[in-house]
Amino acid sequence: MSVAASPPPRSSVRDAVNDLRYRFSIKLFLSELLSKNWMEPIVPFLLMVALIGYFSATVPNYTSLDNTQQLLRLFAEIGLVSVAMGFVLISGGIDLSVGAIFAVTNLAALILFKSWEWPVWAVALGTLAVGAFIGLINGVLVGYLKARPFLTTLVTLIILRAGFDMVSEKYAPRFAVSDIESDVWDFLGGGTILGIPTNALALLVVLIIGHVYLSRSRYGWHIMAVGSSRKAARHAGIRVERVLLGTYVLSGLLCALAGLFYAARQNSAGSDTGQGWEMQALTAVVLGGISLAGGRGTVWRAAMGAVIVFLLINGFVRLGLEGYLTMAALGAILLVAVGFDVKWAKNRGKAIQKIYVNPTRLELKQAPSIARGSASPYAENDRLSQAEVIGLGQVEGPEDVILDRQDRLYTGTREGWILRFSGPNFEHREVFARMGGRPLGLAFDKDENLVCCNGGMGVYGVTPQGEIFKITDETNRTWGKLNDDSRLRLADDLDIAPDGKIYFSEATIRYEMHSWDMDGIEGRGNGRMICYDPATRTTRTIIKNQRFPNGVCVAHDGQSVLYVSTWLCRILRYWIAGPKKGQLETVVEQLPGYPDNLNRASDGGYWLALAGIRSPAYDLAMRKPDFRLRMVKEIPRDEWLYPGLNNGCVVKLDADCQPVETYWDPTGKLHPTITSMREHKGYLYIGGLENNRIGRIKLPGADPDWTGWESYWGNKQNSRVRPTSGSGISAVS
């Protein structure tokens, strides 16, 4: 079970009331609601519900079983054609020939069945082949010959219409006198399965498969990518021409499927078959929320828009409107829909930005003194001013540093690389792994795989040979939350327990790596602690509602996990074994700065990095949510009030996590924004998120033979994480 940390004590009832007001802000709810993708078509969804409700209330027996079946049977074909149009629009194109393809394939099905007397299964295959072939022609012209989709499909529409009129006139008398009968053919046109018309059931299957295809398959992602930007998709290695070709073929297939069911239902081909359906389909998909610019939309939106158009046309017919008036009304609706689509797409993001940041009240106790020369264990000094420099100008943002058994030094960089320094003075630099993302916390497992928290990607591993494998990039979702927290947005730091379980922090579930500082402005409990179990290959959240959990360290005895809360300036302990298993407690209540990484020391204690130093002004600002909100909205970003992030400090803690001594660089010239440190064979290695170097200082009296790897894995039999052969997924041995 996950553990939710209790909120800090409050000084008054008024403070508690204010805390509740800020914690359960209506703007917070609205911002997360508007951020959901399914909120894009909320207006057409409400319109669809309103139309169904209106006709149900005004038309007698509108919701009866017989009428519902009849409406579904009439709707299915236009629904399929609308989905076909939707696929093409998502890919960044347009297909004005969908109505003509529908008419031609309807005619082809009738010819194959009534005139040529093919069996029904052959008729179905032949009809689909005709639709696919027409789509192939469109795809070749648009994808490979770079023809404009609008003009190309308009010409296809004209040619197909002319051909349809010529052929249908010839075959119409034969259809009228044909006496071919088939139970399968009749079932396609008028049968039901579990009370659902066959064509409507086929539409439902297409929608389900289409949803999986677009949202869960590589080919669907390629369609989205091409629709968003053909140039970017081509640079990403996507074969744009092939994607466009496949999309138009798919459009032809769906239109042919609609034509097959229509032929079986009507058993005739009138001159007006499919006429104006391209306009109806285009109106439907735009109404449903599929962007005319491409790259955005789902099959469900296309179907929803088709329902609206179908209900409107059905209503116009019931009102006795002439056909030309119906088309004029649809044109007006399309014009309004396009205007709304452009406005909504442009302003939805702005609306979210205005209300997304929601600061809450955070009251900290008075910070311990750091006055130089005072008796405080945190007293400022210059002990880092003479630190040795490693890799000066060769590394960008070494957030965490670690050494292996061969005394080689590793760090992640802003470029998404993991660098390795080796040699007597670490003069040799090499790119150990090109991981991407933002490598943050590092740890070695027993097999000497380097396990890494990667901001924006999850938790990954690198074998000693430099091969990258994924460990986990998601956890269990918290049901009831609008914000989908199953994806790992900002995995921060990690450590590995004796049984091989990986405990890691996710600093925030509301912000990404590039905007992590906004979480500090909010001060909310947006973070969590997570555990990955290699024995079951499962990931689960164990502690929720944490304020930027950061550095993680398994205690020397392996019974508990220590981690820091950056915004609360605290160190906490979560027991993973022993009589207190599952309990959470605060170990250090107040720190003078904002803690980052936390690692073991050779004497049984721990090392703690302070990335920034508290100030009275910032502590006061954290008690004033409205002030911070106005600051974000009214002041340029480079003038916001922040903690002192230009002072470097490392704190030495004893076995009980009590401060013993500190190492400072108060000028911030050598080591500003210290985020990590590792002890290794009598030296302390220092990294920082904004640094262009790694520091090293000699530790007087430290064990010259102690290493972090031996502390965790030396002379022990433990589980460990390793890549499974060929799968790239971690396992247990």
Side-chain angles (χ1 to χ4, degrees), residues 571-605:
I571 302 177
L572 300 100
R573 184 193 302 270
Y574 177 72
W575 292 91
I576 59 175
K580 293 185 178 181
K581 182 177 180 180
Q583 295 184 25
L584 179 66
E585 60 187 27
T586 300
V587 178
V588 177
E589 180 72 22
Q590 291 295 325
L591 291 164
Y594 294 90
D596 206 291
N597 284 2
L598 179 68
N599 293 306
R600 291 182 182 180
S602 59
D603 62 356

Side-chain angles (χ1 to χ4, degrees), residues 101-337:
I101 297 175
F102 166 76
V104 168
T105 53
N106 167 68
L107 179 61
L110 290 171
I111 292 174
L112 294 176
F113 179 70
K114 288 184 172 292
S115 182
W116 295 6
E117 300 183 7
W118 284 17
V120 176
W121 64 268
V123 172
L125 292 178
T127 303
L128 294 177
V130 171
F133 179 72
I134 299 174
L136 180 67
I137 294 174
N138 283 335
V140 170
L141 292 173
V142 173
Y144 287 91
L145 300 183
K146 313 301 185 203
R148 294 181 180 274
F150 185 91
L151 293 177
T152 300
T153 56
L154 180 60
V155 171
T156 307
L157 162 67
I158 296 172
I159 295 174
L160 291 178
R161 271 291 160 196
F164 173 82
D165 291 339
M166 292 172 56
V167 177
S168 62
E169 183 178 352
K170 176 182 178 181
Y171 279 93
R174 301 185 188 183
F175 298 158
V177 299
S178 175
D179 58 353
I180 301 298
E181 294 184 359
S182 170
D183 293 337
V184 177
W185 183 259
D186 294 338
F187 178 75
L188 285 178
T192 61
I193 299 176
L194 300 176
I196 303 175
T198 50
N199 57 355
L201 191 60
L203 172 61
L204 179 60
V205 172
V206 167
L207 290 174
I208 294 173
I209 296 176
H211 171 75
V212 175
Y213 178 78
L214 272 181
S215 62
R216 296 292 186 269
S217 75
R218 178 180 300 178
Y219 304 104
W221 300 336
H222 287 180
I223 291 175
M224 292 284 192
V226 170
S228 297
S229 171
R230 293 187 185 182
K231 183 177 180 180
R234 187 173 284 109
H235 288 169
I238 298 174
R239 297 183 178 180
V240 174
E241 293 79 8
R242 182 179 297 182
V243 170
L244 292 174
L245 176 67
T247 304
Y248 278 96
V249 169
L250 179 59
S251 174
L253 282 170
L254 292 175
C255 292
L257 183 62
L260 175 66
F261 282 113
Y262 191 82
R265 182 163 63 86
Q266 295 289 78
N267 281 300
S268 64
S271 60
D272 61 345
T273 300
Q275 200 164 31
W277 278 36
E278 55 279 339
M279 178 66 73
Q280 293 182 33
L282 184 60
T283 306
V285 295
V286 175
L287 267 177
I290 295 180
S291 174
L292 284 171
R296 194 178 83 240
T298 67
V299 294
W300 302 107
R301 297 182 188 181
M304 181 172 59
V307 170
I308 295 173
V309 171
F310 175 77
L311 291 176
L312 286 172
I313 293 177
N314 187 267
F316 293 155
V317 171
R318 290 176 182 271
L319 292 174
L321 292 182
E322 297 290 341
Y324 66 90
L325 292 177
T326 299
M327 294 302 296
L330 284 178
I333 293 171
L334 177 59
L335 186 63
V336 173

Side-chain angles (χ1 to χ4, degrees), residues 369-375 378-383 664-667:
S369 173
I370 60 171
R372 184 183 291 264
S374 67
Y378 301 108
E380 186 179 282
N381 54 61
D382 301 305
R383 300 176 73 178
W664 284 81
D665 177 18
T667 64

Side-chain angles (χ1 to χ4, degrees), residues 417-717:
W417 303 342
I418 294 181
L419 299 181
R420 179 166 67 186
F421 292 88
S422 58
N425 297 307
F426 301 100
E427 68 277 2
H428 178 65
R429 170 190 177 273
E430 61 182 320
V431 178
F432 177 60
R434 299 179 187 272
M435 182 173 289
R438 183 57 168 100
L440 300 173
L442 304 170
F444 277 109
D445 68 9
K446 189 173 182 179
D447 280 346
E448 300 184 61
N449 297 314
L450 183 60
V451 184
C452 173
C453 276
N454 193 308
M457 292 177 60
V459 180
Y460 282 71
V462 186
T463 67
Q465 294 75 35
E467 298 176 1
I468 301 170
F469 61 97
K470 184 176 74 173
I471 296 175
T472 182
D473 60 359
E474 61 181 2
T475 184
N476 57 298
R477 178 172 182 176
T478 303
W479 296 107
K481 288 180 68 69
L482 279 173
N483 189 7
D484 183 0
D485 59 356
S486 60
R487 178 176 69 88
L488 299 180
R489 285 180 170 83
L490 187 50
D492 202 331
D493 194 29
L494 80 161
D495 209 357
I496 305 175
D499 59 1
K501 292 180 180 178
I502 300 175
Y503 292 88
F504 63 97
S505 59
E506 184 177 24
T508 175
I509 62 173
R510 274 176 56 80
Y511 296 94
E512 307 291 342
M513 182 66 208
H514 65 275
S515 57
W516 65 268
D517 53 343
M518 297 301 298
D519 192 88
I521 298 295
E522 278 200 346
R524 291 186 174 275
N526 295 327
R528 54 188 173 178
M529 287 293 296
I530 303 172
C531 175
Y532 171 78
D533 186 353
T536 59
R537 301 184 187 180
T538 57
T539 309
R540 64 185 181 92
T541 301
I542 55 175
I543 312 174
K544 299 184 294 186
N545 304 330
Q546 298 292 282
R547 285 181 166 92
F548 212 86
N550 202 331
V552 179
C553 181
V554 174
H556 286 273
D557 61 3
Q559 300 289 297
S560 62
V561 176
L562 299 166
Y563 70 94
V564 306
S565 173
T566 298
W567 307 141
L568 287 180
C569 303
R570 291 179 180 176
I571 302 177
L572 300 100
R573 184 193 302 270
Y574 177 72
W575 292 91
I576 59 175
K580 293 185 178 181
K581 182 177 180 180
Q583 295 184 25
L584 179 66
E585 60 187 27
T586 300
V587 178
V588 177
E589 180 72 22
Q590 291 295 325
L591 291 164
Y594 294 90
D596 206 291
N597 284 2
L598 179 68
N599 293 306
R600 291 182 182 180
S602 59
D603 62 356
Y606 304 91
W607 295 102
L608 174 68
L610 295 183
I613 304 304
R614 292 169 55 185
S615 67
Y618 194 75
D619 283 0
L620 176 62
M622 295 306 290
R623 299 197 295 269
K624 306 292 183 180
D626 293 334
F627 166 79
R628 303 202 306 279
L629 183 60
R630 289 196 300 272
M631 178 181 72
V632 170
K633 289 185 175 182
E634 300 175 11
I635 300 177
R637 190 184 186 99
D638 58 353
E639 297 180 11
W640 289 356
L641 179 65
Y642 277 118
L645 296 179
N646 60 339
N647 292 350
C649 179
V650 175
V651 181
K652 176 64 176 63
L653 306 172
D654 62 18
D656 297 322
C657 294
Q658 298 307 305
V660 176
E661 57 181 338
T662 54
Y663 294 77
W664 284 81
D665 177 18
T667 64
K669 294 181 179 180
L670 283 178
H671 298 292
T673 322
I674 292 179
T675 54
S676 65
M677 69 277 105
R678 298 275 181 171
E679 182 178 344
H680 182 83
K681 293 187 176 181
Y683 286 88
L684 191 67
Y685 296 81
I686 302 166
L689 186 64
E690 303 297 332
N691 297 353
N692 66 345
R693 69 198 74 189
I694 297 172
R696 182 173 78 159
I697 60 172
K698 179 71 174 177
L699 296 174
D703 185 349
D705 299 318
W706 188 90
T707 68
W709 193 92
E710 290 292 336
S711 173
Y712 280 87
W713 310 114
N715 300 319
K716 298 178 182 178
Q717 297 295 324

